[in-house]
Amino acid sequence: MTRLVFFCGHAGTGKTTLAKKLIGPLMKATASPFCLLDKDTLYGSYSAAAMGMLTGDPNDRDSPLFLEHLREPEYRGLLDTARDNLALGVSALVVGPLSREVRERRLFDRAWLGVDANVALRVVWVHTSEETAHQRIVARGNPNDAYKLAHWDEYRQRRFVPSGDLCEDLLMFDNTAPAAADYEALLARIVGEPLAVSGMPPVPV
């Protein structure tokens, strides 16, 4: 069985760090290969070149122009790459905000994803407080965050924490200050086994 695992959430929540922390334990727990597909790594340079040509600002990832014209192609390419790996028997951890897709429940729609019933789907929503996320964004000093920070009141309107029906099958993970037990519990939920799994590898903190 191959697995398609999404790590979604707003900027500064630690999606990529969490995925990198879990990929090794996931490979051990499932005895199968995984790849890590991070949207910023795959498309960061391309989008920088495109936005630099269009607007003169290669670091823009939040303006209406980017959101209307480049966001969707980036995500489609990300999913295409995940499907190529799944077809080769390699499970995929896909990292990106994907907030719109979570709102619309698209990540549970196998027809929209283009994956069949043999692929195990898991969607992790990584969250933390707005204040913590803002502090992390400032601390990391990524030029791609400049638009967010300069237009924070506008950007924060796009932030949300799934609730109600949106949380059905969604694995919520508070990444503010997780302990080892929190990582192990999330690992067990992704693998789809009870928490007390004999021989489950510890997750490094």
Side-chain angles (χ1 to χ4, degrees):
M1 174 188 292
T2 52
R3 290 173 167 82
L4 177 57
V5 185
F6 292 96
F7 287 82
C8 314
H10 300 298
T13 56
K15 301 179 295 295
T16 301
T17 300
L18 179 61
K20 288 180 177 179
K21 185 181 290 291
L22 291 182
I23 191 168
L26 273 169
M27 287 191 284
K28 291 179 181 178
T30 62
S32 59
F34 277 77
C35 67
L36 176 66
L37 304 176
D38 186 298
K39 183 178 78 71
D40 290 340
T41 302
L42 285 173
Y43 294 104
S45 296
Y46 171 82
S47 294
M51 293 305 292
M53 180 179 66
L54 292 170
T55 68
D57 182 4
N59 300 316
D60 177 5
R61 298 294 185 280
D62 293 280
S63 70
L65 187 148
F66 177 86
L67 295 175
E68 291 172 15
H69 298 287
L70 288 183
R71 180 190 185 278
E72 187 70 16
E74 282 193 355
Y75 281 133
R76 294 314 308 177
L78 192 65
L79 291 175
D80 289 344
T81 306
R83 281 195 301 272
D84 282 348
N85 280 275
L86 292 169
L88 296 171
V90 178
S91 296
L93 302 188
V94 177
V95 182
L98 290 157
S99 56
R100 184 186 308 168
E101 289 71 18
V102 168
R103 281 184 186 273
E104 297 174 358
R105 300 282 297 175
R106 289 184 179 182
L107 301 186
F108 296 100
D109 184 343
R110 291 180 181 274
W112 185 84
L113 291 170
V115 300
D116 59 32
N118 293 324
V119 176
L121 284 176
R122 296 288 187 272
V123 182
V124 181
W125 180 264
V126 188
H127 62 96
T128 188
S129 69
E130 178 183 336
E131 180 181 3
T132 299
H134 187 274
Q135 291 172 350
R136 289 177 179 176
I137 291 171
V138 171
R140 71 188 181 187
N142 188 329
N144 292 342
D145 294 324
Y147 188 97
K148 288 185 185 70
L149 294 174
H151 303 81
W152 188 259
D153 286 341
E154 171 192 326
Y155 168 72
R156 67 193 300 268
Q157 300 304 314
R158 302 195 336 241
R159 286 180 50 88
F160 74 101
V161 177
S163 60
D165 291 343
L166 284 182
C167 290
E168 183 181 354
D169 298 325
L170 199 62
L171 307 184
M172 302 291 291
F173 188 81
D174 186 345
N175 206 24
T176 303
D182 298 315
Y183 293 121
E184 292 171 7
L186 178 59
L187 175 65
R189 295 183 72 192
I190 292 173
V191 173
E193 298 176 352
L195 295 184
V197 175
S198 177
M200 174 173 289
V203 180
V205 179

